[in-house]
Amino acid sequence: MILKRIKKGISSIELLVSIVILIIVMTGVNAVLITKFKLSNYEKDVIEANSLSQKFINELSKSIINTDDFINLSDKIENLSNFKFKSISNEEKDNLKKYVYKLIVKNDIAFTTKAINKGNNIVVFIDKRPTEIGINLEKSVIIYNMYNKSKEIVYIKNFNDNAKNFLVDDTSPEKGRNGLKYDYPIGSPVIVNDKFIKLYIYYANKNNLNSIDLVNSKPLCSLSSIIPIPIGVNEQ
């Protein structure tokens, strides 16, 4: 009788322990499944963000068709749905609002601080030191008139970093080394290089779709590219 009670008691304890172990195991399995589900969604978002970033860069490059577009390309943070995609799937279009893109642009452009008259022996004064935007001896730059859209390639004969100016090479007969054919007003852009851009895509803040979600602030992807200066120099 005593043995039966002991065996019965042991069976009850074993059953209780088994139930506790089962609860722990099921809780652990459930947690793993939830984590796996979340991880799976994150991985899907990473894949989608990479696909969208490639499409973004391709369409951005195609949209820079003139010098004005090139000059106005600058840093920004916006919701991805603000970008005008020409061809994306409906599924991607539905998901755009949950992403924010951050565009960083390396801008090698200066602006003239004095009017530039056409002719030879021209000194061009700009708002930055020449070396800050990559100007070197015998390097070519483009001077652009935003009013009449004329632009010319000129070469650097000499420069003065402290005075923020450079001397146009007027050596003939090489193209671009014969001074300036046109006048350029104050504020005319001096373009030195192609633009280097870097694109990041993040989760958007649900309360402000144009800002990065601070809880999930790690970028889903990043992509670098070059935006070339629009081809063709219009010498009117």
Side-chain angles (χ1 to χ4, degrees):
M1 190 70 176
I2 295 174
L3 286 173
K4 286 184 179 179
R5 286 180 182 175
I6 292 172
K7 286 182 179 179
K8 188 176 181 180
I10 291 173
S11 297
S12 299
I13 292 172
E14 287 177 343
L15 180 61
L16 181 61
V17 169
S18 298
I19 292 172
V20 171
I21 290 173
L22 181 62
I23 291 171
I24 293 172
V25 169
M26 290 304 295
T27 302
V29 169
N30 191 46
V32 168
L33 290 174
I34 292 172
T35 302
K36 187 175 181 182
F37 177 76
K38 289 182 178 178
L39 184 61
S40 177
N41 281 344
Y42 174 78
E43 288 173 343
K44 287 178 183 177
D45 291 342
V46 168
I47 293 170
E48 183 177 52
N50 274 281
S51 173
L52 289 169
S53 67
Q54 188 63 62
K55 292 177 182 179
F56 182 103
I57 293 293
N58 291 341
E59 296 197 19
L60 179 66
S61 299
K62 291 177 183 177
S63 71
I64 307 298
I65 58 177
N66 57 51
T67 308
D68 285 341
D69 294 334
F70 183 84
I71 290 169
N72 293 326
L73 183 62
S74 58
D75 296 355
K76 63 170 64 177
I77 298 179
E78 285 187 1
N79 186 266
L80 198 57
S81 61
N82 295 343
F83 184 75
K84 306 302 179 185
F85 286 98
K86 292 183 179 179
S87 58
I88 61 172
S89 67
N90 289 330
E91 183 181 356
E92 288 175 317
K93 192 178 292 184
D94 291 338
N95 290 333
L96 290 179
K97 286 188 177 180
K98 70 180 180 182
Y99 301 121
V100 169
Y101 75 89
K102 180 179 181 180
L103 188 66
I104 298 175
V105 181
K106 186 175 182 295
N107 200 343
D108 290 333
I109 292 178
F111 294 90
T112 58
T113 56
K114 293 183 180 180
I116 309 169
N117 299 318
K118 59 185 177 182
N120 296 329
N121 299 319
I122 301 296
V123 178
V124 180
F125 291 86
I126 55 179
D127 60 355
K128 298 177 182 176
R129 294 187 176 197
T131 53
E132 286 180 358
I133 60 169
I135 286 180
N136 295 300
L137 294 179
E138 299 186 355
K139 185 179 178 70
S140 66
V141 301
I142 293 175
I143 299 181
Y144 178 62
N145 186 330
M146 290 190 289
Y147 296 99
N148 64 18
K149 311 305 178 187
S150 63
K151 51 186 173 180
E152 297 181 62
I153 292 176
V154 297
Y155 288 82
I156 311 304
K157 191 174 185 178
N158 203 347
F159 66 84
N160 187 326
D161 247 11
N162 293 328
K164 296 183 180 179
N165 63 49
F166 63 87
L167 178 64
V168 172
D169 189 345
D170 60 350
T171 306
S172 293
E174 295 177 72
K175 186 177 181 180
R177 297 181 188 267
N178 53 2
L180 289 175
K181 292 178 65 175
Y182 308 108
D183 297 333
Y184 292 89
I186 295 173
S188 294
V190 177
I191 307 169
V192 181
N193 294 310
D194 297 336
K195 287 195 174 186
F196 172 82
I197 62 172
K198 187 144 191 175
L199 173 72
Y200 295 91
I201 293 183
Y202 301 82
Y203 282 123
N205 187 323
K206 292 180 180 178
N207 297 320
N208 181 359
L209 295 180
N210 286 321
S211 65
I212 298 168
D213 183 0
L214 296 179
V215 177
N216 299 296
S217 59
K218 181 181 177 181
L220 294 164
C221 68
S222 65
L223 187 63
S224 300
S225 186
I226 299 290
I227 302 293
I229 300 172
I231 298 173
V233 177
N234 179 26
E235 296 181 329
Q236 298 176 354

